[in-house]
Amino acid sequence: MKPFSFFHLKGIGGQIAALVLASTVALHLVITTAFLIIRQDRPDAPPDRAHQLADAALLLGAAEASERPRLVTDLARAFPGLGIEMLAPGTANLAESDSLHLRWMRRHLGRAYKTGRLASGSIEPRIGVQLPDGTVIAGHVDGAPRPLFSGAPWLMALMSAFICVTVLGLWAARALTRPLSSFAAAAENFSLDGAAEPLPERGPEEIRAVARALNRMHERIVRLMSDRTRMLAAISHDLRTPITRLRLRAEFIEDESNRKRMLMDLDQMRAMLESVLSLLRDDRKVETVTLVDIASTLQLVADQFGDMGHVVHYVGPTSATAAARPDDLHRGVTNLVENAVRFGAEVTIRLDVSDTMLVIDVEDDGPGISDARKQEMLEPFVRGDDARTMDYSTGFGLGLSIARAIALGHGGELSLHDRAPRGLIVRMRLPVSQAPRLAA
């Protein structure tokens, strides 16, 4: 058996660990780069105008007083954006400030030069540099572009961490959520007829292992159900022969009462076998889906029961064509009407069709079913009155379960509802694969 390794790159743990490691390395590189670019323990790289003003102050401080006006004129011509000018001693007041420009200029000029902000009426503030003899050199330096996130490396680190976590979250959502969604869809579309596609075995190792296990489980379930059907079919076939022999022998019983009871029991055994095999056939859903006139099918069922002396009405459109399994649908509705005429005197088959759903209601005026037993009645071999003897009048408890299996096989559902003022409504809801065609 292969030992499990958390850092195996084909597994979820290894891929997450690799991504976290790469994100951590990238985050440290960003922080280190920001720290080297913007450091508080070394002179900051100044904007161009601050550099120009500081160099101009050093030049004018070293020049003779008579040469300064000419030098200021030359500097203003060379650096027009700086707006340099010279102020006489005592005419300008420098305000203390701790901006990036002034911190660099103080370190660059030294203690002999005093720097600060000048109060002026212009929109763009000016920086002043006081020369050793008291003369002030002023210029505009705040308009120069500043480095992105200058002075705030923590902001760069925070944004980098956010990007790394976002990348990790997006990868996890794609690598984990998408396969799990496909698992949920496969479970919803699970069928025993082999029509469902196997799960794709891709993604991390753990996801592929789960997909392989689910595919094998589907194959085992299909094989198990197929073996069960063949076994019960064989049992039914083998039991028909002794049942037939018993019927022949029962004909020679002289006691009329005992003979009738034995023949009734044998007929009941044969009906039970046929009902069980019918349920198994419906579970397999082997019939092909074709275009069916649902309204004609329901009208046919109503006419068949009317010919047998029951009061069964059909209410709905005269034509409603949709994709369905015709024999399964006929069998399911027939089972519902059989239950209805067994407990009610009058039955109504009602059809309502919309663009996406068709609803078949089988309504009777019988005693109905309590809310506590509605869900239970949809299970196999559950009858409305468990105290009664199982015979043709009570059924074997398979009619509703067979109809429910047929509804589920069409992608729909079967539910029980109360009918006013009394009775039961068995509602079969089936999706319409294509828009039905109605005729008045």
Side-chain angles (χ1 to χ4, degrees), residues 272 275-276 279 335 379-382 395-403:
M272 289 177 63
S275 297
V276 172
L279 175 63
N335 289 342
E379 300 298 328
F381 303 106
V382 177
F396 304 109
L398 292 175
L400 287 177
S401 60
I402 292 175

Side-chain angles (χ1 to χ4, degrees), residues 12 29 47 88 123 147 214 226 229 232 279 312 319 330 340 367 370 396 409:
I12 297 177
L29 288 177
I123 298 177
L214 290 178
S226 179
T229 302
L232 291 178
L279 175 63
V312 180
S319 178
H330 184 277
S370 63
F396 304 109

Side-chain angles (χ1 to χ4, degrees), residues 148-390:
L148 184 63
F149 303 125
S150 61
W154 61 269
L155 184 57
M156 297 182 65
L158 182 61
M159 292 187 62
S160 302
F162 174 76
I163 293 174
C164 293
V165 171
T166 302
V167 171
L168 177 61
L170 292 176
W171 177 88
R174 180 176 179 82
L176 300 178
T177 306
R178 186 175 180 182
L180 293 178
S181 300
S182 65
F183 293 165
E188 290 292 337
N189 298 328
F190 183 86
S191 64
L192 299 176
D193 55 6
E197 293 293 333
L199 287 173
E201 299 179 6
R202 61 172 180 264
E205 182 63 31
E206 292 84 354
I207 298 297
R208 293 200 298 269
V210 173
R212 286 193 296 269
L214 290 178
N215 288 333
R216 289 195 300 268
M217 181 186 69
H218 181 269
E219 294 174 358
R220 289 195 298 268
I221 292 176
V222 171
R223 187 167 55 250
L224 176 64
M225 296 298 295
S226 179
D227 293 343
R228 184 198 68 168
T229 302
R230 286 196 299 267
M231 178 189 67
L232 291 178
I235 293 174
S236 174
H237 181 271
D238 293 341
L239 287 177
R240 285 172 181 171
T241 300
I243 289 175
T244 303
R245 289 200 300 263
L246 289 174
R247 285 187 59 87
L248 293 175
R249 293 171 183 172
E251 295 294 340
F252 295 98
I253 297 177
E254 297 181 357
D255 191 324
E256 182 70 18
S257 177
N258 289 333
R259 183 172 67 253
K260 288 183 178 180
R261 284 197 297 268
M262 181 171 290
L263 292 175
M264 185 181 299
D265 291 338
L266 293 174
D267 290 338
Q268 180 182 342
M269 292 174 61
R270 184 171 56 190
M272 289 177 63
L273 290 175
E274 295 296 335
S275 297
V276 172
L277 289 177
S278 177
L279 175 63
L280 295 176
R281 286 193 300 269
D282 292 331
D283 284 343
R284 297 305 304 271
K285 305 190 295 291
V286 295
E287 189 181 3
T288 304
V289 176
T290 59
L291 286 179
V292 182
D293 190 341
I294 308 296
S296 297
T297 300
L298 300 182
Q299 184 66 60
L300 176 62
V301 173
D303 294 340
Q304 289 174 343
F305 279 89
D307 294 340
M308 293 186 292
H310 300 289
V311 181
V312 180
H313 306 286
Y314 167 73
V315 177
T318 58
S319 178
T321 304
R325 297 179 175 89
D327 293 341
D328 286 351
L329 184 63
H330 184 277
R331 184 185 305 116
V333 176
T334 299
N335 289 342
L336 297 182
V337 178
E338 282 181 352
N339 286 339
V341 298
R342 185 178 297 123
F343 298 102
E346 185 174 352
V347 177
T348 300
I349 305 175
R350 192 181 308 275
L351 174 63
D352 293 321
V353 183
S354 64
D355 293 337
T356 59
M357 188 72 62
L358 63 87
V359 180
I360 302 173
D361 285 346
V362 178
E363 308 174 1
D364 64 68
D365 56 355
I369 300 175
S370 63
D371 294 338
R373 298 205 63 193
K374 280 187 173 63
Q375 190 63 33
E376 179 186 2
M377 291 298 300
L378 298 177
E379 300 298 328
F381 303 106
V382 177
R383 295 177 295 129
D385 188 355
D386 292 332
R388 296 179 184 174
T389 302
M390 185 179 294

Side-chain angles (χ1 to χ4, degrees), residues 58 105-115 130-132:
L58 291 176
M105 293 178 67
R106 291 190 190 102
R107 287 193 293 266
H108 184 70
L109 296 174
R111 295 181 178 275
Y113 296 81
K114 182 181 178 182
T115 60
Q130 184 176 331
L131 305 182

